[in-house]
């Protein structure tokens, strides 16, 4: 087996350097989740296929990784399935489990299964990997982490405010300038209602979204080819020219949707959110974007999406309100609102903008070089004392050439190297080399602890 | 789909309360790993079956969860396999991936695959779930976390010392009294050598291990039934009566193994470890146990295992030295030594001994009750101020009956409840209820922040 081993396509190993950056991202998000009172859960990597199938559409079902049953998995497959090599219809006989595809369906399953133990409103967060048998491509992986926070069991718009300010806090901590785009499914429904084309909502939002690229005339042409009437298109024109401040946009929408009850309800919700947000100091740009749809069938109220202002990349966070998360598992009337942070894209954004704190890349503060057994014995006592003081310290395990030991310290970006040779042992002291400044000092262990504590 | 959803047998959901305890365990272990200069990696949940198969014995191969290939997975299966419903031999045609079974084989694969990027000696830690299609039973799960730390690319016994003190530090932080049992494969080889029964090493250690339960005579009888000669059994007697201090045991072993080169090498290693450890202050009992074998075929030097002294439970940590971790992937001569912490058993031990810190169970420090929209608006400003000061705070999202809101605060063990009604708005103050003391106070937001910061 001399061939170099590898890993399944679309999956990744993470080196210590990458893990340090990823931990910085996850810990920052987690700290903010906790600050807002969200509580962590974890669910199994494997769910029953009965839980997963049919929740992501036909395409999603295909993208589920299925787990082969243990033992004699072929025993219940009908003869005709094998004769015809009917792969698709054989799956239910040979697989009963699959890997989770997202965190939302397992969360819905969790809520229903544990409904009697859960205190509602339930503010949960979950940070775990998900798996999709998608074709791997740049920035798209078959295993990736999702970071979700949801509040279920409450209709209050206070939850939307909390999520918006939470997004703002997360990206403020990262130092990333963002725009949060906000829409409301009820406004989209209102638009469809007043132009009499409720079934064309997706075509309309797709077309509106292109206005900056292709201009109003081409958008109108596209709408026509989608079978939307000239009258409806003419009624849509204010929407295509929607600009100015959020208040301007709300005013335009208000006059346009005056006759639609659901549309006006959406405007009311949006107005409340913008009013309230304006009284809290947040760093993000928050702007109305009526072309924002994000899984339209899923969301029933607020829809939101986050873009980095200084990097060209897809959305780095998004979410919205849904009114029937758990209905598919037989528990009706549970409304919720949630957001998801895209850790992989945030990773790329922080790399591009060079926003990782300097201390992210290193863990060990000081390494003791190894000059032989008696020196090493003294060094073990020193590293013990340093660690007791909370300072990460290590000792090079082998008494090899100093050059090799220094190269190790250098490669790992360890900021201080401690040398304890014969004379240091005799004098009960430590020679400390500051690797960035190049300076050397002689210290007692107490002085060393004091120095490295800062 | 009115049937209550469930999860695959042998898997678990973790509630917020359980997650808080699990995070306490993982974070404690992680903090100590970092203090010792270990660096984190992560590997994919899925590995190629070519990486996993044949590494855990025939039984292990069966216990691997295999992932069904995507698309037309049946197309390459030979007719005869399907005709005969030969499940076992069909696997290689329909599955190319499996879920990782432990962290050791993926780590070995990682080291070989990234050998040119890794700085040796490589001190890595890894905390990730593993999956085994074992029959589920009490305390045995199909998905569970492993927490491993290994040092590869160094033969030095300093690494053993580091791991022993690291184990001591972890359990000292948990407040768990432990015994670390230490053995050395070379001593076992020496024993086998001097009694001329190298192939009987497993039988011998299994028998020795029973001495406290069944007594010397029965152990000897068992050895006889295993085909060990009377002469060999008589030579083994000093081993069966091994007691006293570690030094006494080492002296007995030394005289017994004087003629075995490998045995004496093992004694030398063990002596070095006990000598060095005795000069460092550690809390754990460390004792020689020649019956300790733990995956004998795997370890080549030191073997160690950790038992909780105050709880009847299997080993809660263990590990040892191996000389050829990566040989199976074509990279020879990489020696390593590692340990693994059993998070699930540690969880049970801390539960039994009630050793979780009080603050483990709660996250939010203060909740603001919701009395309606204008009160809520003020409260949003207060929670913002608290969070800016690093204090976790939330606001009940709905203006429902106070009793219901209080019940929520109570159920979540939130220590402080803040009330902002009409008079508090007018006076720019907050009424704060201390839920454990039952006391109430009126404070400004600045005073509230000051109070809750402590």
């Amino acid at each position: 087996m001399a061939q170099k081993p590898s890993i399944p396509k679309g999956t990744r190993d993470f080196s210590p350097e990458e893990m340090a950056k990823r931990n910085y991202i996850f810990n920052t998000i987690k700290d903010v989740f906790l600050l807002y009172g969200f509580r962590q859960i974890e669910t199994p990597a494997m769910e029953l296929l009965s839980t997963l199938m049919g929740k992501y559409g036909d395409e999603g079902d295909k993208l589920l990784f299925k787990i082969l049953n243990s033992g004699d998995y072929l025993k219940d497959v009908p003869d005709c399935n094998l004769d015809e090599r009917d792969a698709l219809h054989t799956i239910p006989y040979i697989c009963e489990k699959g890997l989770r595809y997202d965190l939302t369906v397992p969360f819905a399953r969790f809520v229903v299964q544990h409904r009697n133990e859960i205190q509602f409103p339930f503010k949960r967060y979950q940070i775990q990997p998900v798996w999709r048998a998608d074709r791997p491509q740049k920035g798209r992986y078959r295993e990736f982490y999702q970071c979700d926070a949801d509040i279920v069991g409450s209709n209050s718009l206070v939850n939307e405010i909390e999520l918006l300010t939470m997004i703002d806090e997360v990206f403020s901590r990262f130092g990333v300038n963002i725009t949060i785009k906000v829409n409301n499914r009820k406004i989209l429904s209102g638009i469809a209602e007043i132009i009499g084309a409720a079934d064309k909502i997706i075509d309309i939002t797709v077309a509106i979204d292109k206005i900056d690229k292709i201009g109003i005339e081409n958008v109108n042409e596209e709408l026509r080819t989608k079978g939307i009437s000239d009258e409806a298109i003419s009624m849509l024109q204010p929407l295509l020219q929607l600009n100015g401040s959020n208040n301007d946009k709300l005013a335009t929408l208000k006059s346009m949707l005056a006759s639609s009850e659901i549309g006006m309800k959406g405007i009311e919700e949006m107005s409340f959110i913008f009013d309230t947000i304006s009284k809290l100091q947040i760093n993000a740009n928050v702007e109305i974007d009526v072309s924002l749809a994000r899984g339209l069938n899923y969301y029933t109220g607020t829809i939101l999406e986050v873009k980095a202002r200084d990097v060209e990349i897809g959305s780095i966070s998004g979410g919205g309100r849904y009114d029937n998360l758990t209905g598919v598992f037989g528990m009706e009337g549970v409304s919720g609102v949630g957001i998801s942070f895209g850790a992989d894209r945030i990773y790329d954004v922080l790399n591009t903008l060079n926003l990782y704190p300097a201390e992210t890349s290193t863990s060990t503060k000081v390494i003791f070089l190894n000059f032989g057994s008696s020196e090493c014995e003294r060094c073990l006592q020193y590293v013990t004392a340093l660690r007791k003081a909370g300072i990460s310290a290590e000792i090079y395990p082998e008494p090899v050439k100093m050059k090799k030991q220094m190269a190790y310290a250098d490669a790992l970006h360890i900021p201080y190297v401690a040398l304890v040779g014969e004379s240091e042992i005799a004098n009960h002291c430590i020679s400390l080399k500051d690797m960035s400044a190049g300076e050397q000092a002689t210290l007692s262990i107490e002085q060393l602890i004091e120095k490295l504590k800062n």
Side-chain angles (χ1 to χ4, degrees), chain A:
Chain A
M1 204 187 283
Q3 205 189 343
K4 203 171 166 184
S6 61
I7 51 177
K9 64 179 175 183
T11 69
R12 292 167 289 174
D13 282 327
F14 294 110
S15 69
E17 292 74 21
E18 289 164 325
M19 281 308 300
K21 290 179 172 182
R22 290 173 65 84
N23 283 336
Y24 167 69
I25 292 172
F26 291 128
N27 290 337
T28 301
I29 293 172
K30 204 169 160 168
D31 285 348
V32 175
F33 285 168
L34 291 174
L35 207 52
Y36 275 72
F38 284 80
R39 308 170 77 223
Q40 190 173 16
I41 67 162
E42 282 191 2
T43 62
M46 298 186 283
E47 293 275 351
L48 294 174
L49 280 180
S50 57
T51 298
L52 301 175
M53 296 286 279
K55 309 301 188 300
Y56 309 104
D58 289 347
E59 196 50 34
D61 283 353
K62 280 187 205 150
L63 300 184
L64 291 170
F65 281 109
K66 287 116 191 157
I67 315 269
L68 193 67
N69 293 341
S70 300
D72 187 10
Y73 59 88
L74 285 176
K75 71 176 190 299
D76 294 328
V77 184
D79 285 329
C80 60
N81 285 41
L82 295 183
D83 292 347
E84 292 165 24
R85 292 189 181 242
D86 184 348
L88 186 62
H89 295 102
T90 299
I91 292 173
Y93 298 99
I94 65 174
C95 298
E96 65 167 17
K97 296 181 286 291
L99 294 180
R100 73 176 157 249
Y101 182 87
D102 69 3
L103 301 180
T104 304
V105 168
F107 175 50
R109 193 265 311 143
F110 181 99
V111 169
V112 177
Q113 191 175 333
H114 303 284
R115 60 212 288 177
N116 296 324
E117 303 131 52
I118 291 172
Q119 196 66 36
F120 293 98
F122 184 32
K123 298 168 75 169
R124 92 85 169 77
Y125 80 88
Q126 190 169 355
I127 300 179
Q128 291 192 277
V130 302
W131 295 270
R132 298 180 183 181
D134 247 325
R135 195 135 47 96
Q137 49 182 265
K138 189 181 177 313
R140 192 200 280 168
Y141 304 101
R142 293 185 149 189
E143 174 180 62
F144 58 97
Y145 272 76
Q146 290 194 333
C147 312
D148 284 17
D150 289 79
I151 306 154
V152 298
S154 165
N155 291 304
S156 167
L157 290 172
V158 171
N159 300 311
E160 271 85 339
I161 303 295
E162 289 276 89
L163 292 180
L164 281 166
T165 59
M166 194 160 80
I167 289 170
D168 183 63
E169 179 66 21
V170 165
F171 288 105
S172 296
R173 288 184 181 207
F174 285 139
V176 174
N177 297 316
I178 56 163
T179 296
I180 308 178
K181 296 180 171 191
V182 181
N183 198 4
N184 193 303
R185 168 65 195 264
K186 297 188 177 86
I187 290 177
L188 294 177
S189 298
I191 293 167
E193 192 175 291
I194 62 143
I195 67 167
D199 56 326
K200 297 278 164 56
I201 262 296
I202 290 174
D203 293 336
I204 292 169
T205 54
V206 166
I208 294 174
D209 197 32
K210 293 184 186 163
I211 197 157
D212 287 340
K213 274 196 210 134
I214 63 175
I216 291 187
E217 278 317 308
N218 290 318
V219 168
N220 287 338
E221 185 51 39
E222 179 166 328
L223 290 168
R224 238 170 258 126
T225 63
K226 294 287 179 188
I228 294 165
S229 72
D230 285 346
E231 195 194 346
I233 290 171
S234 119
M235 291 176 78
L236 276 173
Q237 293 313 297
L239 213 56
L240 301 183
Q241 287 157 37
L242 204 61
N243 52 28
S245 69
N246 289 318
N247 281 337
D248 294 343
K249 289 180 184 174
L250 279 169
T252 306
L253 287 169
K254 215 164 178 167
S255 70
M256 192 178 158
L257 299 179
S259 66
S260 162
E261 195 183 330
I262 189 160
M264 290 307 282
K265 176 79 180 125
I267 288 169
E268 190 192 310
E269 291 182 5
M270 191 103 97
S271 300
F272 173 83
I273 289 170
F274 279 93
D275 274 2
T276 312
I277 285 290
S278 72
K279 290 172 196 151
L280 303 167
Q281 283 150 354
I282 70 168
N283 297 318
N285 277 350
V286 186
E287 65 178 43
I288 294 171
D289 181 350
V290 291
S291 72
L292 183 65
R294 281 186 77 85
L296 191 70
N297 296 319
Y298 186 70
Y299 294 120
T300 53
T302 302
I303 305 172
L304 50 89
E305 190 168 274
V306 179
K307 303 277 279 184
R309 286 218 295 277
D310 305 320
V311 182
E312 274 296 327
I313 198 165
S315 68
I316 51 180
S317 176
R321 178 170 287 280
Y322 40 84
D323 272 345
N324 198 9
L325 176 71
T326 54
V328 70
F329 297 116
M331 184 179 174
E332 300 291 337
V334 178
S335 179
V337 57
I339 53 167
S340 186
F341 290 88
D344 287 306
R345 284 200 182 147
I346 293 171
Y347 184 94
D348 290 342
V349 168
L350 299 193
N351 264 344
T352 305
L353 300 176
N354 200 14
L355 286 175
Y356 291 102
E359 67 271 23
T360 307
S361 62
T362 181
S363 64
T364 298
K365 200 86 180 259
V366 57
I367 183 166
F368 283 74
L369 301 194
N370 191 329
F371 296 129
S373 57
S374 58
E375 291 88 349
C376 183
E377 195 180 306
R378 178 66 60 84
C379 291
L380 278 170
Q381 286 164 5
Y382 289 151
V383 293
T384 302
L386 284 158
R387 289 164 180 165
K388 291 272 174 229
I391 298 158
S392 65
E394 57 184 296
I395 178 165
Y396 195 91
E398 319 248 3
V400 295
K401 282 199 183 119
M402 190 165 149
K403 196 178 159 192
K404 193 173 174 191
Q405 300 189 43
M406 290 298 284
Y408 174 89
D410 208 43
L412 266 61
H413 306 293
I414 298 173
Y416 293 96
V417 172
L419 301 98
V420 177
E422 262 179 52
S423 78
E424 282 88 356
I425 291 188
N427 298 312
H428 287 87
C429 67
I430 298 147
S431 292
L432 186 76
K433 196 175 161 83
D434 179 330
M435 293 290 273
S436 60
E439 290 159 8
Q440 196 153 328
T442 304
L443 304 168
S444 69
I445 181 65
E446 292 79 16
Q447 289 170 323
L448 179 61
I449 289 172
E450 200 47 49
K451 181 176 176 66
L452 297 188
K453 256 191 164 170
N454 306 328

